[in-house]
Structure formats: C-alpha cells, structure tokens
Amino acid sequence: MTRYQLKINAENLPRGLIRRPNPYAVVTVTGGPRLGETLGKTDVVFNTVDPDFAKTLFLETDSSVFMPIRVAICNDRNDAHLAEANFEATEVHVSRGRMQERLLPKGAK
C-alpha cells in the first residue's frame, strides 16, 4: 500500500460579474473498487481566481489498482461548479515531476 499526497492549485478560474470566487476543491474517486468515495475537500481560499490550496489530501492505494479521480473546483459563495479535471491517481505519481495539469478551454468547466 502506498500513500499519495494530493496538492491542488488552479489558475484563471471563471469570475463573477462583480466579485471573485471563494474556491475550494473536492476530490472524488470516479472508478475502480472505491467508486464514488470522496477523498476529501480542501480549505476555501477567499476572493481569488488563482487558488493554491493549503490543505493537502491523502490517498492510500496499491499502485496496481486503477483509481481515476475527479478534482472539482467549486465556489463557496453558492456551491457553483467552476472547473473540474480528471486524473488517474497512480499515473500522477509516475509522471515527470510527480505532477500533472489539465488545461481547460476558455469557458469550459
């Protein structure tokens, strides 16, 4: 069993007409034996479109287990969905720099 740390940040999130969002992230397993399990929720970062969440989430799994995860970024003001990205947890660990990023087209969520 291996323990992975998930550190999450985002850039250029959509903003409201008047105010910047108060984003937080929720990480959920989207397949495999732990389908539907919520791995955790980050802290809320106030008034920013470029959050770097302080809370680190942890995931324990065997590297041979397929574990796709979804990182959903929401606005604390109204729980609006701002963005999301999908990853395979163990692929992130073996990738260069042990990190992966997803670029979303302008206006995509």
Side-chain angles (χ1 to χ4, degrees):
M1 197 65 77
T2 303
R3 187 173 195 199
Y4 298 94
Q5 292 186 122
L6 304 173
K7 177 75 173 97
I8 302 167
N9 63 14
E11 296 176 354
N12 299 317
L13 292 172
R15 62 187 309 163
L17 295 174
I18 300 171
R19 296 193 264 183
R20 293 180 182 184
N22 294 334
Y24 66 92
V26 178
V27 180
T28 308
V29 179
T30 59
R34 294 171 63 178
L35 174 67
E37 180 180 337
T38 298
L39 298 177
K41 177 181 171 183
T42 67
D43 50 314
V44 175
V45 180
F46 294 96
N47 198 31
T48 184
V49 293
D50 300 313
D52 188 5
F53 300 103
K55 183 176 181 180
T56 300
L57 302 177
F58 295 93
L59 164 65
E60 289 189 18
T61 187
D62 187 312
S63 61
S64 65
V65 174
F66 177 69
M67 181 149 322
I69 58 174
R70 178 182 66 236
V71 178
I73 311 284
C74 301
N75 186 352
D76 185 55
R77 286 196 175 102
N78 55 11
D79 286 326
H81 185 88
L82 299 173
E84 81 174 38
N86 294 286
F87 302 91
E88 203 291 312
T90 56
E91 277 184 6
V92 175
H93 180 71
V94 298
S95 63
R96 183 176 180 213
R98 293 191 176 164
M99 63 180 359
Q100 286 190 357
E101 63 181 31
R102 295 292 186 267
L103 298 176
L104 303 175
K106 201 77 162 155
K109 295 193 179 187

XYZ file of all heavy atoms in Angstrom:
854
model
N 0.857 -1.173 0.000
C 0.000 0.000 0.000
C 0.906 1.240 0.000
O 1.830 1.337 0.779
C -0.868 -0.040 1.248
C -2.063 0.849 1.247
S -3.366 0.515 0.072
C -4.205 -0.859 0.765
N 0.594 2.172 -0.873
C 1.358 3.413 -0.986
C 0.467 4.587 -0.605
O -0.714 4.625 -0.956
C 1.867 3.600 -2.436
O 2.634 2.463 -2.798
C 2.725 4.834 -2.555
N 1.046 5.552 0.068
C 0.301 6.761 0.455
C 0.722 7.905 -0.451
O 1.893 8.238 -0.545
C 0.583 7.112 1.907
C -0.276 8.232 2.397
C -0.094 8.440 3.878
N -1.172 9.277 4.374
C -1.127 9.928 5.497
N -0.075 9.821 6.283
N -2.133 10.673 5.872
N -0.248 8.505 -1.130
C -0.011 9.611 -2.037
C -0.521 10.905 -1.403
O -1.548 10.905 -0.733
C -0.757 9.405 -3.360
C -0.317 8.185 -4.125
C -0.984 6.978 -3.985
C 0.765 8.246 -4.985
C -0.571 5.865 -4.694
C 1.178 7.133 -5.700
C 0.501 5.942 -5.541
O 0.904 4.839 -6.227
N 0.194 12.001 -1.664
C -0.249 13.335 -1.254
C -0.818 14.041 -2.478
O -0.212 13.999 -3.546
C 0.922 14.174 -0.753
C 1.520 13.704 0.520
C 2.575 14.681 1.001
O 2.446 15.176 2.088
N 3.594 14.969 0.211
N -1.946 14.668 -2.322
C -2.553 15.430 -3.404
C -2.527 16.904 -3.027
O -3.206 17.330 -2.100
C -3.996 14.986 -3.642
C -4.213 13.503 -3.934
C -5.697 13.192 -3.974
C -3.538 13.122 -5.220
N -1.737 17.679 -3.732
C -1.641 19.134 -3.536
C -2.324 19.769 -4.736
O -1.989 19.458 -5.875
C -0.170 19.545 -3.448
C 0.050 21.019 -3.330
C -0.286 21.520 -1.940
C 0.091 22.983 -1.779
N -0.991 23.893 -1.977
N -3.272 20.635 -4.515
C -4.109 21.155 -5.599
C -3.987 22.675 -5.690
O -4.001 23.375 -4.678
C -5.583 20.763 -5.356
C -5.700 19.244 -5.255
C -6.482 21.319 -6.448
C -7.016 18.770 -4.710
N -3.870 23.147 -6.923
C -3.981 24.581 -7.182
C -4.669 24.766 -8.520
O -4.833 23.821 -9.279
C -2.626 25.290 -7.123
C -1.661 24.816 -8.174
O -2.015 24.143 -9.131
N -0.405 25.162 -8.008
N -5.102 25.973 -8.785
C -5.789 26.288 -10.042
C -5.417 27.706 -10.459
O -4.994 28.515 -9.628
C -7.304 26.170 -9.869
N -5.579 27.970 -11.744
C -5.297 29.303 -12.267
C -6.418 29.740 -13.193
O -7.003 28.927 -13.901
C -3.986 29.302 -13.062
C -2.762 28.981 -12.241
C -1.504 28.888 -13.075
O -1.587 28.966 -14.320
O -0.432 28.715 -12.477
N -6.674 31.020 -13.198
C -7.637 31.642 -14.112
C -9.036 31.033 -14.048
O -9.650 30.756 -15.082
C -7.115 31.601 -15.552
C -5.820 32.342 -15.698
O -5.654 33.428 -15.151
N -4.889 31.751 -16.411
N -9.529 30.824 -12.855
C -10.901 30.330 -12.711
C -11.878 31.405 -13.178
O -11.562 32.598 -13.139
C -11.186 29.987 -11.245
C -10.434 28.788 -10.681
C -10.674 28.681 -9.176
C -10.841 27.508 -11.375
N -13.075 30.998 -13.613
C -14.064 31.997 -14.018
C -14.458 32.867 -12.826
O -14.535 32.382 -11.701
C -15.251 31.169 -14.502
C -14.916 29.758 -14.308
C -13.541 29.643 -13.762
N -14.695 34.112 -13.093
C -15.095 35.024 -12.031
C -16.514 35.503 -12.274
O -17.024 35.442 -13.378
C -14.130 36.196 -11.932
C -14.077 37.041 -13.180
C -13.016 38.107 -13.168
N -13.065 38.907 -11.977
C -12.070 39.671 -11.564
N -10.968 39.731 -12.260
N -12.164 40.386 -10.489
N -17.135 35.988 -11.238
C -18.481 36.533 -11.361
C -18.445 37.920 -11.981
O -17.372 38.470 -12.243
N -19.596 38.485 -12.185
C -19.679 39.819 -12.770
C -19.103 40.881 -11.841
O -18.509 41.856 -12.285
C -21.129 40.168 -13.102
C -21.777 39.309 -14.184
C -23.255 39.642 -14.314
C -21.053 39.480 -15.507
N -19.286 40.691 -10.551
C -18.865 41.700 -9.591
C -17.695 41.232 -8.729
O -16.757 41.968 -8.496
C -20.046 42.108 -8.683
C -21.161 42.684 -9.535
C -19.611 43.083 -7.613
C -22.438 42.927 -8.789
N -17.746 39.990 -8.264
C -16.746 39.512 -7.311
C -15.972 38.309 -7.827
O -16.446 37.568 -8.679
C -17.430 39.089 -6.007
C -18.106 40.206 -5.296
C -18.448 39.771 -3.910
N -19.818 39.294 -3.856
C -20.404 38.897 -2.760
N -19.763 38.890 -1.632
N -21.650 38.489 -2.774
N -14.814 38.114 -7.245
C -14.029 36.907 -7.498
C -14.604 35.774 -6.643
O -15.184 36.021 -5.586
C -12.576 37.135 -7.127
C -11.900 38.140 -8.012
C -10.479 38.314 -7.583
N -9.844 39.326 -8.421
C -8.584 39.633 -8.330
N -7.813 39.044 -7.451
N -8.067 40.544 -9.118
N -14.408 34.528 -7.057
C -14.966 33.412 -6.289
C -14.172 33.125 -5.015
O -13.050 33.596 -4.843
C -14.851 32.235 -7.262
C -13.681 32.581 -8.122
C -13.722 34.076 -8.268
N -14.774 32.343 -4.142
C -14.127 31.780 -2.962
C -14.009 30.279 -3.224
O -14.846 29.493 -2.779
C -14.960 32.020 -1.698
C -15.063 33.472 -1.324
O -14.196 34.271 -1.666
N -16.112 33.837 -0.615
N -12.998 29.845 -3.970
C -12.952 28.446 -4.406
C -12.480 27.453 -3.338
O -11.732 27.797 -2.429
C -11.962 28.481 -5.572
C -11.104 29.663 -5.311
C -11.935 30.641 -4.562
N -12.978 26.227 -3.495
C -12.498 25.061 -2.754
C -12.536 23.881 -3.711
O -13.198 23.936 -4.751
C -13.339 24.792 -1.496
C -14.768 24.380 -1.774
C -15.110 23.034 -1.882
C -15.771 25.333 -1.934
C -16.420 22.647 -2.135
C -17.072 24.963 -2.187
C -17.400 23.623 -2.279
O -18.691 23.242 -2.536
N -11.806 22.822 -3.397
C -11.753 21.643 -4.266
C -12.278 20.421 -3.528
O -12.057 20.270 -2.324
C -10.316 21.395 -4.728
N -12.962 19.552 -4.275
C -13.438 18.272 -3.760
C -12.868 17.183 -4.663
O -12.982 17.269 -5.889
C -14.978 18.183 -3.771
C -15.445 16.827 -3.274
C -15.586 19.306 -2.943
N -12.249 16.163 -4.057
C -11.653 15.073 -4.818
C -12.480 13.810 -4.599
O -12.711 13.395 -3.455
C -10.187 14.826 -4.400
C -9.590 13.684 -5.194
C -9.364 16.100 -4.578
N -12.940 13.221 -5.715
C -13.811 12.048 -5.677
C -13.251 10.959 -6.576
O -12.744 11.245 -7.660
C -15.225 12.435 -6.178
O -15.676 13.570 -5.449
C -16.210 11.303 -5.989
N -13.375 9.705 -6.151
C -12.974 8.560 -6.966
C -14.084 8.293 -7.978
O -15.254 8.191 -7.617
C -12.725 7.310 -6.100
C -12.330 6.112 -6.960
C -11.662 7.585 -5.045
N -13.718 8.184 -9.273
C -14.732 8.025 -10.321
C -14.741 6.649 -10.967
O -15.431 6.442 -11.956
C -14.531 9.086 -11.418
O -13.223 8.945 -11.969
C -14.723 10.490 -10.868
N -13.983 5.699 -10.429
C -13.981 4.353 -10.982
C -13.209 3.406 -10.090
O -12.617 3.802 -9.089
N -13.206 2.140 -10.461
C -12.467 1.145 -9.695
C -13.213 0.715 -8.447
O -14.388 1.032 -8.257
N -12.511 0.032 -7.547
C -13.172 -0.544 -6.370
C -13.670 0.494 -5.359
O -14.499 0.181 -4.522
C -12.085 -1.425 -5.746
C -10.797 -0.923 -6.275
C -11.097 -0.332 -7.621
N -13.191 1.715 -5.436
C -13.618 2.755 -4.480
C -14.520 3.799 -5.144
O -14.617 4.932 -4.682
C -12.389 3.400 -3.852
C -11.628 2.405 -2.978
C -10.295 2.902 -2.508
N -10.389 4.073 -1.655
C -9.335 4.653 -1.099
N -8.122 4.166 -1.300
N -9.482 5.719 -0.357
N -15.190 3.426 -6.215
C -16.074 4.310 -6.981
C -17.004 5.096 -6.064
O -17.658 4.539 -5.189
C -16.908 3.483 -7.968
C -17.991 4.223 -8.744
C -17.350 5.210 -9.710
C -18.865 3.254 -9.498
N -17.049 6.410 -6.277
C -17.957 7.275 -5.536
C -17.423 7.779 -4.207
O -18.028 8.656 -3.599
N -16.297 7.276 -3.756
C -15.747 7.707 -2.471
C -15.174 9.124 -2.587
O -14.438 9.433 -3.512
C -14.640 6.751 -2.031
C -14.012 7.107 -0.707
C -12.918 6.144 -0.298
O -12.902 4.986 -0.768
O -12.059 6.561 0.496
N -15.524 9.976 -1.643
C -14.944 11.314 -1.587
C -13.664 11.229 -0.767
O -13.685 10.812 0.389
C -15.917 12.325 -0.950
O -17.088 12.391 -1.767
C -15.304 13.703 -0.842
N -12.552 11.602 -1.394
C -11.258 11.529 -0.717
C -11.024 12.722 0.194
O -10.224 12.659 1.114
C -10.128 11.436 -1.739
C -10.161 10.203 -2.632
C -9.031 10.258 -3.643
C -10.072 8.936 -1.793
N -11.703 13.814 -0.080
C -11.567 14.968 0.793
C -11.940 16.265 0.119
O -12.230 16.317 -1.068
N -11.895 17.310 0.934
C -12.238 18.655 0.492
C -11.152 19.585 1.017
O -10.700 19.441 2.156
C -13.608 19.036 1.071
C -14.071 20.421 0.750
C -15.438 20.660 1.404
C -15.827 22.120 1.283
N -17.101 22.393 1.953
N -10.730 20.518 0.197
C -9.712 21.468 0.630
C -10.335 22.594 1.435
O -11.556 22.687 1.564
C -8.973 22.099 -0.576
O -9.893 22.920 -1.293
C -8.360 21.057 -1.475
N -9.478 23.467 1.891
C -9.890 24.700 2.516
C -10.481 25.638 1.457
O -10.293 25.421 0.272
C -8.667 25.365 3.168
C -7.487 25.448 2.199
O -7.199 24.433 1.528
O -6.850 26.522 2.092
N -11.156 26.658 1.892
C -11.653 27.702 0.994
C -10.594 28.794 0.923
O -10.045 29.203 1.939
C -12.979 28.304 1.514
C -13.432 29.469 0.649
C -14.059 27.231 1.577
N -10.290 29.242 -0.299
C -9.376 30.368 -0.481
C -10.242 31.543 -0.930
O -10.918 31.470 -1.954
C -8.283 30.052 -1.526
C -7.356 31.234 -1.685
C -7.506 28.800 -1.123
N -10.224 32.602 -0.174
C -11.153 33.701 -0.390
C -10.702 34.683 -1.464
O -9.541 35.032 -1.559
C -11.404 34.451 0.930
C -12.112 33.591 1.932
C -11.394 32.901 2.894
C -13.488 33.438 1.886
C -12.033 32.078 3.812
C -14.139 32.622 2.794
C -13.412 31.940 3.755
N -11.673 35.078 -2.282
C -11.547 36.174 -3.234
C -10.369 36.011 -4.207
O -9.542 36.906 -4.341
C -11.434 37.498 -2.459
C -11.725 38.692 -3.328
O -12.520 38.621 -4.264
N -11.078 39.794 -3.050
N -10.309 34.873 -4.916
C -9.219 34.657 -5.870
C -9.663 33.785 -7.038
O -10.538 32.940 -6.880
C -7.987 34.030 -5.202
O -6.932 33.943 -6.161
C -8.275 32.637 -4.662
N -9.039 34.010 -8.182
C -9.241 33.142 -9.342
C -8.018 32.242 -9.549
O -7.980 31.443 -10.469
C -9.525 33.957 -10.632
C -10.862 34.672 -10.527
C -8.405 34.921 -10.940
N -7.018 32.368 -8.660
C -5.785 31.568 -8.737
C -5.486 30.916 -7.384
O -4.462 31.212 -6.750
C -4.599 32.454 -9.150
C -4.794 33.103 -10.498
O -5.195 32.397 -11.437
O -4.545 34.319 -10.607
N -6.346 30.019 -6.912
C -6.131 29.451 -5.577
C -4.985 28.441 -5.536
O -4.771 27.674 -6.465
C -7.463 28.745 -5.281
C -7.961 28.347 -6.639
C -7.555 29.484 -7.542
N -4.249 28.483 -4.454
C -3.243 27.473 -4.129
C -3.667 26.947 -2.764
O -3.412 27.576 -1.740
C -1.846 28.098 -4.079
C -0.754 27.057 -3.925
O -1.064 25.839 -3.947
O 0.412 27.448 -3.781
N -4.374 25.828 -2.761
C -4.999 25.326 -1.549
C -3.955 24.840 -0.547
O -3.041 24.086 -0.893
C -5.985 24.202 -1.887
C -7.077 24.661 -2.814
C -7.048 24.327 -4.163
C -8.110 25.449 -2.352
C -8.042 24.756 -5.025
C -9.108 25.897 -3.206
C -9.077 25.540 -4.541
N -4.071 25.276 0.702
C -3.099 24.930 1.741
C -3.258 23.476 2.206
O -2.277 22.813 2.501
C -3.249 25.873 2.933
N -4.478 22.994 2.242
C -4.723 21.638 2.736
C -4.264 20.603 1.714
O -4.619 20.670 0.546
C -6.203 21.438 3.038
C -6.513 20.082 3.625
C -7.973 19.962 3.995
C -8.266 18.609 4.612
N -9.677 18.498 4.973
N -3.478 19.657 2.170
C -3.032 18.540 1.339
C -3.930 17.349 1.642
O -4.173 17.027 2.813
C -1.565 18.191 1.643
O -0.763 19.337 1.365
C -1.086 17.027 0.806
N -4.429 16.685 0.599
C -5.261 15.498 0.771
C -4.389 14.260 0.597
O -3.380 14.298 -0.102
C -6.401 15.502 -0.244
C -7.312 16.724 -0.196
C -8.358 16.650 -1.297
C -7.978 16.853 1.152
N -4.786 13.166 1.205
C -4.006 11.937 1.137
C -4.848 10.799 0.586
O -6.054 10.736 0.794
C -3.483 11.555 2.528
C -2.503 12.555 3.069
C -2.935 13.599 3.871
C -1.162 12.472 2.747
C -2.037 14.543 4.351
C -0.254 13.400 3.223
C -0.692 14.443 4.038
N -4.187 9.910 -0.131
C -4.823 8.753 -0.753
C -3.924 7.554 -0.533
O -2.730 7.610 -0.836
C -4.996 9.007 -2.249
C -5.287 7.822 -3.155
C -6.641 7.219 -2.819
C -5.249 8.251 -4.605
N -4.470 6.486 0.010
C -3.717 5.250 0.173
C -4.279 4.213 -0.791
O -5.472 3.947 -0.787
C -3.803 4.747 1.610
C -3.023 5.607 2.568
C -2.917 4.999 3.957
O -3.141 3.787 4.111
O -2.597 5.762 4.875
N -3.392 3.650 -1.622
C -3.808 2.634 -2.580
C -2.598 1.835 -3.026
O -1.457 2.249 -2.829
C -4.518 3.271 -3.796
O -5.055 2.230 -4.615
C -3.589 4.126 -4.608
N -2.845 0.735 -3.638
C -1.790 -0.068 -4.253
C -1.561 0.496 -5.652
O -2.517 0.821 -6.361
C -2.254 -1.527 -4.336
C -1.158 -2.454 -4.808
O -0.499 -2.120 -5.815
O -0.976 -3.499 -4.185
N -0.320 0.627 -6.073
C -0.024 1.237 -7.371
C -0.572 0.434 -8.544
O -0.667 0.953 -9.650
C 1.475 1.457 -7.527
O 2.151 0.220 -7.465
N -0.961 -0.811 -8.322
C -1.513 -1.622 -9.400
C -3.034 -1.462 -9.535
O -3.636 -1.985 -10.461
C -1.177 -3.098 -9.181
O -1.817 -3.570 -8.008
N -3.660 -0.730 -8.626
C -5.106 -0.546 -8.642
C -5.458 0.691 -9.471
O -4.912 1.773 -9.250
C -5.652 -0.385 -7.199
C -7.141 -0.053 -7.210
C -5.395 -1.641 -6.395
N -6.351 0.515 -10.433
C -6.829 1.616 -11.263
C -7.706 2.515 -10.404
O -8.711 2.071 -9.854
C -7.612 1.051 -12.450
C -8.214 2.089 -13.347
C -7.405 2.900 -14.129
C -9.585 2.255 -13.420
C -7.953 3.861 -14.975
C -10.153 3.205 -14.257
C -9.323 4.006 -15.032
N -7.313 3.793 -10.251
C -8.063 4.705 -9.409
C -8.200 6.076 -10.063
O -7.437 6.993 -9.804
C -7.408 4.864 -8.044
C -8.207 5.775 -7.177
S -8.175 5.475 -5.421
C -8.174 3.771 -5.201
N -9.199 6.228 -10.961
C -9.428 7.545 -11.548
C -10.073 8.471 -10.519
O -10.946 8.054 -9.755
C -10.372 7.256 -12.713
C -11.074 5.999 -12.326
C -10.116 5.220 -11.465
N -9.615 9.705 -10.501
C -10.163 10.681 -9.567
C -10.595 11.939 -10.321
O -10.081 12.250 -11.380
C -9.167 11.053 -8.457
C -7.867 11.622 -9.042
C -8.895 9.874 -7.542
C -6.887 12.136 -8.003
N -11.571 12.634 -9.742
C -12.039 13.904 -10.289
C -11.772 14.978 -9.241
O -12.108 14.820 -8.074
C -13.529 13.862 -10.598
C -14.039 15.219 -11.130
C -15.533 15.240 -11.420
N -16.274 15.081 -10.177
C -17.181 14.127 -9.970
N -17.472 13.257 -10.897
N -17.805 14.042 -8.817
N -11.166 16.065 -9.686
C -10.963 17.231 -8.838
C -11.950 18.291 -9.320
O -11.844 18.784 -10.442
C -9.512 17.758 -8.942
C -9.341 19.005 -8.080
C -8.513 16.677 -8.564
N -12.928 18.592 -8.501
C -13.936 19.595 -8.839
C -13.665 20.845 -8.018
O -13.488 20.769 -6.801
C -15.337 19.070 -8.552
N -13.607 21.987 -8.693
C -13.410 23.270 -8.018
C -14.760 23.979 -7.972
O -15.413 24.152 -9.006
C -12.391 24.158 -8.765
C -11.116 23.399 -9.091
C -12.133 25.441 -7.977
C -10.171 23.181 -7.965
N -15.177 24.358 -6.772
C -16.484 24.989 -6.583
C -16.318 26.324 -5.876
O -15.298 26.594 -5.254
C -17.377 24.075 -5.745
S -17.632 22.451 -6.485
N -17.370 27.146 -5.950
C -17.380 28.454 -5.308
C -18.136 28.339 -3.990
O -19.293 27.929 -3.962
C -18.051 29.477 -6.221
C -17.959 30.890 -5.686
O -17.527 31.133 -4.573
N -18.371 31.832 -6.511
N -17.488 28.714 -2.895
C -18.092 28.625 -1.569
C -19.303 29.542 -1.407
O -20.173 29.280 -0.600
C -17.039 28.969 -0.507
C -17.544 28.778 0.898
O -18.009 27.669 1.211
O -17.491 29.746 1.689
N -19.373 30.587 -2.194
C -20.495 31.528 -2.059
C -21.836 30.892 -2.420
O -22.844 31.182 -1.830
C -20.270 32.748 -2.952
C -19.238 33.684 -2.423
C -19.325 35.030 -3.121
N -18.402 35.942 -2.513
C -17.224 36.264 -3.026
N -16.830 35.743 -4.162
N -16.435 37.101 -2.400
N -21.832 30.046 -3.465
C -23.103 29.477 -3.925
C -22.976 28.020 -4.372
O -23.873 27.490 -4.999
C -23.671 30.319 -5.070
C -22.683 30.470 -6.205
O -21.659 29.790 -6.245
N -22.975 31.357 -7.140
N -21.844 27.380 -4.064
C -21.536 25.997 -4.461
C -21.564 25.796 -5.975
O -21.728 24.684 -6.462
C -22.470 24.990 -3.784
C -22.133 24.812 -2.312
O -20.940 24.895 -1.976
O -23.059 24.598 -1.511
N -21.402 26.883 -6.725
C -21.357 26.777 -8.185
C -20.107 26.023 -8.609
O -19.042 26.167 -8.020
C -21.364 28.167 -8.818
N -20.251 25.224 -9.640
C -19.147 24.449 -10.205
C -18.314 25.377 -11.099
O -18.824 25.915 -12.071
C -19.739 23.290 -11.012
C -18.740 22.348 -11.552
N -18.302 21.271 -10.826
C -18.071 22.324 -12.720
C -17.416 20.617 -11.555
N -17.259 21.239 -12.702
N -17.027 25.566 -10.766
C -16.165 26.456 -11.533
C -15.334 25.717 -12.577
O -15.110 26.221 -13.668
C -15.222 27.220 -10.597
C -15.891 28.117 -9.561
C -14.848 28.665 -8.591
C -16.650 29.234 -10.243
N -14.832 24.532 -12.222
C -13.979 23.760 -13.134
C -13.821 22.351 -12.585
O -14.100 22.093 -11.412
C -12.606 24.420 -13.262
N -13.374 21.442 -13.450
C -13.033 20.107 -12.976
C -11.986 19.494 -13.880
O -11.841 19.875 -15.043
C -14.250 19.209 -12.868
C -14.722 18.573 -14.132
C -15.850 17.583 -13.873
O -16.713 17.823 -13.022
O -15.853 16.553 -14.564
N -11.230 18.565 -13.320
C -10.203 17.846 -14.068
C -10.209 16.405 -13.591
O -10.498 16.119 -12.427
C -8.836 18.483 -13.848
N -9.893 15.485 -14.515
C -9.869 14.063 -14.201
C -8.461 13.526 -14.377
O -7.776 13.868 -15.339
C -10.843 13.313 -15.108
C -12.274 13.707 -14.817
O -12.828 13.313 -13.811
N -12.859 14.516 -15.675
N -8.055 12.676 -13.442
C -6.717 12.088 -13.429
C -6.823 10.624 -13.035
O -7.794 10.213 -12.422
C -5.828 12.762 -12.382
C -5.657 14.233 -12.556
C -6.525 15.128 -11.941
C -4.630 14.736 -13.331
C -6.360 16.489 -12.091
C -4.455 16.097 -13.485
C -5.323 16.978 -12.867
N -5.790 9.866 -13.317
C -5.641 8.525 -12.748
C -4.579 8.692 -11.671
O -3.453 9.116 -11.948
C -5.218 7.518 -13.825
C -5.566 6.067 -13.491
C -4.749 5.501 -12.347
O -3.523 5.658 -12.353
O -5.343 4.899 -11.442
N -4.925 8.401 -10.446
C -4.086 8.740 -9.286
C -2.661 8.216 -9.392
O -1.707 8.958 -9.160
C -4.748 8.237 -8.009
N -2.478 6.964 -9.729
C -1.120 6.415 -9.745
C -0.311 6.914 -10.936
O 0.911 6.955 -10.862
C -1.148 4.877 -9.713
O -1.928 4.395 -10.802
C -1.755 4.378 -8.413
N -0.968 7.346 -12.032
C -0.242 7.931 -13.162
C 0.427 9.240 -12.773
O 1.489 9.573 -13.260
C -1.191 8.204 -14.334
C -1.457 7.020 -15.201
C -2.330 7.393 -16.391
O -2.621 8.595 -16.595
O -2.719 6.481 -17.119
N -0.212 9.989 -11.912
C 0.367 11.251 -11.460
C 1.688 10.973 -10.755
O 2.684 11.652 -10.975
C -0.609 12.013 -10.528
C 0.047 13.256 -9.965
C -1.891 12.358 -11.268
N 1.718 9.953 -9.925
C 2.926 9.630 -9.160
C 4.103 9.271 -10.060
O 5.233 9.629 -9.768
C 2.645 8.490 -8.182
C 3.834 8.113 -7.369
N 4.336 8.922 -6.372
C 4.638 7.030 -7.417
C 5.394 8.341 -5.846
N 5.595 7.199 -6.455
N 3.858 8.586 -11.163
C 4.963 8.156 -12.039
C 5.272 9.170 -13.140
O 6.222 8.998 -13.888
C 4.697 6.767 -12.668
C 4.573 5.715 -11.591
C 3.476 6.785 -13.557
N 4.508 10.248 -13.228
C 4.758 11.248 -14.268
C 5.925 12.157 -13.877
O 6.305 12.242 -12.714
C 3.503 12.071 -14.541
O 3.142 12.791 -13.396
N 6.466 12.846 -14.862
C 7.607 13.728 -14.648
C 7.259 14.800 -13.615
O 6.253 15.492 -13.731
C 7.994 14.393 -15.966
C 9.194 15.266 -15.851
C 9.585 15.809 -17.192
N 10.754 16.638 -17.038
C 11.008 17.702 -17.768
N 10.185 18.056 -18.716
N 12.087 18.403 -17.550
N 8.104 14.940 -12.634
C 7.867 15.921 -11.581
C 6.788 15.500 -10.606
O 6.412 16.258 -9.725
N 6.247 14.304 -10.784
C 5.155 13.776 -9.965
C 3.992 14.749 -9.870
O 3.392 14.957 -8.823
C 5.664 13.394 -8.581
C 6.604 12.235 -8.647
C 6.906 11.697 -7.322
N 7.752 10.512 -7.511
C 8.436 9.964 -6.580
N 8.390 10.442 -5.367
N 9.170 8.900 -6.834
N 3.705 15.345 -11.022
C 2.560 16.242 -11.090
C 1.954 16.173 -12.481
O 2.614 15.786 -13.435
C 2.974 17.675 -10.754
C 3.948 18.261 -11.719
S 4.503 19.973 -11.424
C 3.688 20.529 -10.029
N 0.688 16.514 -12.558
C 0.013 16.617 -13.845
C -0.890 17.828 -13.803
O -1.355 18.247 -12.747
C -0.823 15.367 -14.139
C 0.004 14.175 -14.513
C -0.848 13.021 -15.022
O -2.069 13.078 -15.061
N -0.195 11.959 -15.418
N -1.100 18.394 -14.966
C -2.015 19.523 -15.051
C -2.970 19.299 -16.198
O -2.705 18.544 -17.122
C -1.258 20.835 -15.237
C -0.479 20.922 -16.512
C 0.286 22.232 -16.637
O 0.700 22.811 -15.616
O 0.457 22.678 -17.783
N -4.100 19.940 -16.101
C -5.095 19.890 -17.158
C -5.422 21.315 -17.536
O -5.776 22.129 -16.689
C -6.371 19.184 -16.699
C -6.192 17.717 -16.362
C -5.880 16.912 -17.601
N -5.844 15.503 -17.340
C -4.767 14.806 -17.027
N -3.608 15.409 -16.890
N -4.820 13.524 -16.839
N -5.290 21.620 -18.808
C -5.675 22.925 -19.309
C -7.076 22.814 -19.872
O -7.362 21.937 -20.692
C -4.703 23.393 -20.402
C -3.252 23.568 -19.961
C -2.374 23.932 -21.135
C -3.151 24.624 -18.866
N -7.943 23.678 -19.449
C -9.325 23.657 -19.906
C -9.528 24.774 -20.910
O -8.997 25.875 -20.733
C -10.275 23.856 -18.713
C -10.124 22.853 -17.585
C -11.016 23.233 -16.426
C -10.456 21.464 -18.081
N -10.282 24.531 -21.980
C -10.555 25.609 -22.938
C -11.279 26.753 -22.250
O -11.990 26.545 -21.260
C -11.441 24.959 -23.992
C -11.561 23.534 -23.644
C -10.939 23.295 -22.315
N -11.110 27.951 -22.747
C -11.752 29.130 -22.166
C -13.253 28.888 -22.052
O -13.900 28.482 -23.002
C -11.493 30.328 -23.083
C -11.635 31.648 -22.401
C -10.419 31.914 -21.566
C -10.339 33.386 -21.245
N -9.608 33.610 -20.047
N -13.790 29.060 -20.870
C -15.219 28.892 -20.646
C -15.616 27.464 -20.318
O -16.746 27.212 -19.948
N -14.698 26.497 -20.421
C -15.032 25.098 -20.104
C -15.070 24.916 -18.599
O -14.418 25.620 -17.862
C -14.014 24.159 -20.720
N -15.821 23.927 -18.197
C -15.919 23.629 -16.761
C -15.668 22.187 -16.497
O -15.752 21.334 -17.202
C -17.275 24.037 -16.237
C -17.431 25.545 -16.329
C -18.599 25.989 -15.550
C -18.668 27.503 -15.663
N -19.605 28.130 -14.887
